[in-house]
Amino acid sequence: MSTGVSTSTDKIIVDKSRSHRNKAVSRAVRTTRERLQTATGLAPGFEREMLQLHIASAAQSALAVPVVVVLIAAGGIYLTQEIGLIAWAILALSVHALGMIVARRARKQEITTDNTRRWQQIFLTAQVFMGLTWAAFALQTCGQCSGVTFDFYKGSSLLVALAVTAISTLMLRHAVLYAFLPTVGALSISALLRPDPATVGMTAIIAAAMMFLVFMTHRLRHTSAQLLSSQSEKDDLIAELEVAKSMSDEARRRAEEANLAKSRFLASMSHELRTPLNAILGFSEVMFTEVLGPLNNPVYKEYTSDIHRSGQHLLNLINEILDLSRIEAGKYDLSEDSVYLVDIAEDCIGMVQLRARAKNITIAEQVEGGMPAVWADEKALRQVILNLLSNAVKFTSQGGEILVKAGWTAGGGQYVSIKDNGPGIPEEEIPVVLSAFGQGSIAIKSAEQGTGLGLPIVQAILAKHNGEFILKSKLREGTEAIAILPAKRVLQSLPAVTETQAVAPRKKSFA
């Protein structure tokens, strides 16, 4: 049954017909982007994460508040001998225990974006009840105490409780305000009813400390939100990289499959086309040369010449496609040896001389003498120079000139330059002619049809030799193609070692 998804290698890069392995990553990227694109305030995702951090902190510091309550109650009983502080301690510990039960229940449940606000209100309510217990402590009196000792004890205890509350509820918004606003209110009422300096001073100190800690916890919470945002951005980038890596792996796999299919196709095409082409070329040549007898109709002889020429063109096209495919696939191995670049250039000139004379083209040589050998593949270099000479002869008009130069480069390498006075190539079309099957517009109109693979093959062969190919051209002035071999390919001959007479050994004398 068809799934409606094309699986051909030439239409798709990523295989979408199977379940992709990065769905979870894509979902995480989408969620992170929605969270980061919130215009104002904290995103709901950050509120949820901060609430989870508060729950974890409450579970870890569950003993902090009970220890403070017990120490405050013990210190108060020691100073005042008031047994009522035991009842207050039991009340405070009970309220704190209820808060821990709420935290444990929230920890077991899943905190989502929808219920985050409700859980925040529950925890703030628990802080309000805990704040009422501290307000009850602030209203404690001591009939047997004298001076400001008891007020100093209460103020110190409330400051310690305020600091512990601020640290333990840092990730819960407005927790310090909700927890100690009842205390400040109770102290303010006590200061109005009994306006002595100790009570008023303690109220002012507690109120100022509460406002300062509210400000500091707000700043710290904002800093934590920024850290969470940075962490989220990092997770987003990691997820994006995972998606890109997954897609690139899939694309590479598809490309390898397509390359394998191309190689198989080219191998099959080479076998299937070369076999009938050999018969076409052989029989057409036999008929054109009239080996088995004359052809009575001269038109038939002309047809056989056309058949032979077309077959040669098709065979050359197949060979060039196979050469370029082997080079691209990394299967083009060089058979390197010590060869002379000038000799190869002269041989290639002789091969194209007949075609050049047919068009009345003059080929001139300008070669530096005493050129040493180079370490290269002779067959590959011959193909490079033949391709460049063939292009020069092909695109040069009747009576034109071609100049072949060979010599040293400035860096110590060797080069072969082939310059013609043909129609030239527009500057914007040079990248086109250097690409596979690319041809210049003027050249197509003024010359015989070509395959457009000669220059790409030249460029690839020179790259295999660590060389360089330069194409210079001016419109209606001509073209110069330069093939360069690097200095490390040049074999410098060492001078012969001259024979020297052996040094006679010195006689040892013993005193």
Side-chain angles (χ1 to χ4, degrees), residues 175-472:
V176 177
L177 187 63
Y178 277 67
F180 274 83
L181 194 60
T183 304
V184 173
L187 289 175
S188 301
I189 294 174
S190 178
L192 290 175
L193 296 177
R194 192 183 58 176
D196 58 284
T199 305
V200 173
M202 181 177 60
T203 303
I205 291 173
I206 297 299
M210 182 190 71
M211 297 306 298
F212 174 75
L213 289 177
V214 167
F215 172 75
M216 291 303 298
T217 53
H218 175 74
R219 292 298 301 271
L220 291 174
R221 191 172 183 276
H222 182 69
T223 303
S224 301
Q226 290 180 338
L227 292 176
L228 288 174
S229 177
S230 300
Q231 179 69 28
S232 181
E233 291 177 1
K234 185 186 74 172
D235 294 341
D236 184 23
L237 291 176
I238 293 174
E240 291 282 2
L241 289 175
E242 287 288 340
V243 173
K245 183 178 181 299
S246 176
M247 294 182 68
S248 65
D249 292 343
E250 187 68 22
R252 184 177 68 250
R253 185 185 68 83
R254 302 292 297 185
E256 290 173 354
E257 290 180 356
N259 187 48
L260 180 61
K262 182 188 73 172
S263 301
R264 290 174 178 172
F265 166 74
L266 291 175
S268 175
M269 183 185 72
S270 173
H271 174 73
E272 296 296 333
L273 292 181
R274 284 187 178 185
T275 302
L277 271 178
N278 289 331
I280 292 172
L281 292 174
F283 292 150
S284 61
E285 187 175 1
V286 168
M287 294 172 65
F288 180 73
T289 55
E290 299 179 344
V291 174
L292 301 179
L295 294 175
N296 296 327
N297 194 333
V299 179
Y300 287 164
K301 187 174 181 179
E302 183 180 354
Y303 285 168
T304 57
S305 176
D306 294 339
I307 292 171
H308 189 272
R309 189 164 54 251
S310 299
Q312 283 285 1
H313 176 74
L314 183 56
L315 184 60
N316 292 334
L317 174 61
I318 293 172
N319 291 334
E320 288 180 346
I321 290 176
L322 291 175
D323 288 341
L324 189 63
S325 299
R326 284 200 302 269
I327 292 173
E328 290 178 348
K331 303 297 183 181
Y332 193 92
D333 298 326
L334 298 178
S335 178
E336 296 171 308
D337 200 356
S338 175
V339 296
Y340 288 91
L341 189 61
V342 175
D343 294 345
I344 296 175
E346 291 177 350
D347 291 344
C348 294
I349 292 173
M351 292 179 186
V352 300
Q353 194 68 255
L354 186 62
R355 293 177 54 194
R357 289 174 184 172
K359 297 180 66 175
N360 197 22
I361 296 174
T362 303
I363 300 180
E365 298 181 34
Q366 186 178 340
V367 179
E368 296 184 17
M371 299 281 290
V374 294
W375 187 255
D377 188 336
E378 182 179 357
K379 180 182 176 182
L381 288 185
R382 195 178 299 275
Q383 185 177 5
V384 167
I385 299 176
L386 272 177
N387 283 355
L388 297 180
L389 281 171
S390 299
N391 282 346
V393 173
K394 183 190 301 182
F395 297 115
T396 302
S397 57
Q398 292 282 343
E401 295 181 356
I402 297 175
L403 177 61
V404 179
K405 296 191 296 184
W408 293 96
T409 64
Q414 295 186 13
Y415 76 94
V416 173
S417 170
I418 299 171
K419 185 177 182 180
D420 62 66
N421 58 354
I425 305 170
E427 185 177 355
E428 64 274 6
E429 292 184 2
I430 289 181
V432 176
V433 300
L434 292 177
S435 61
F437 301 100
Q439 292 181 339
S441 56
I442 296 178
I444 292 175
K445 297 177 182 178
S446 61
E448 56 188 275
Q449 186 68 25
T451 61
L453 292 175
L455 293 183
I457 290 176
V458 168
Q459 201 171 20
I461 290 176
L462 289 174
K464 293 284 288 185
H465 285 83
N466 309 111
E468 185 180 1
F469 177 65
I470 301 175
L471 186 64
K472 301 178 181 178

Side-chain angles (χ1 to χ4, degrees), residues 469-491:
F469 177 65
I470 301 175
L471 186 64
K472 301 178 181 178
S473 183
K474 289 186 179 180
L475 193 61
R476 298 181 182 87
E477 292 186 11
T479 303
E480 182 180 10
I482 305 174
I484 301 175
L485 291 177
K488 63 182 181 180
R489 290 274 176 183
V490 179
L491 301 177

Side-chain angles (χ1 to χ4, degrees), residues 505-511:
R506 294 171 56 187
K507 294 182 178 180
K508 297 181 180 180
S509 62
F510 298 92

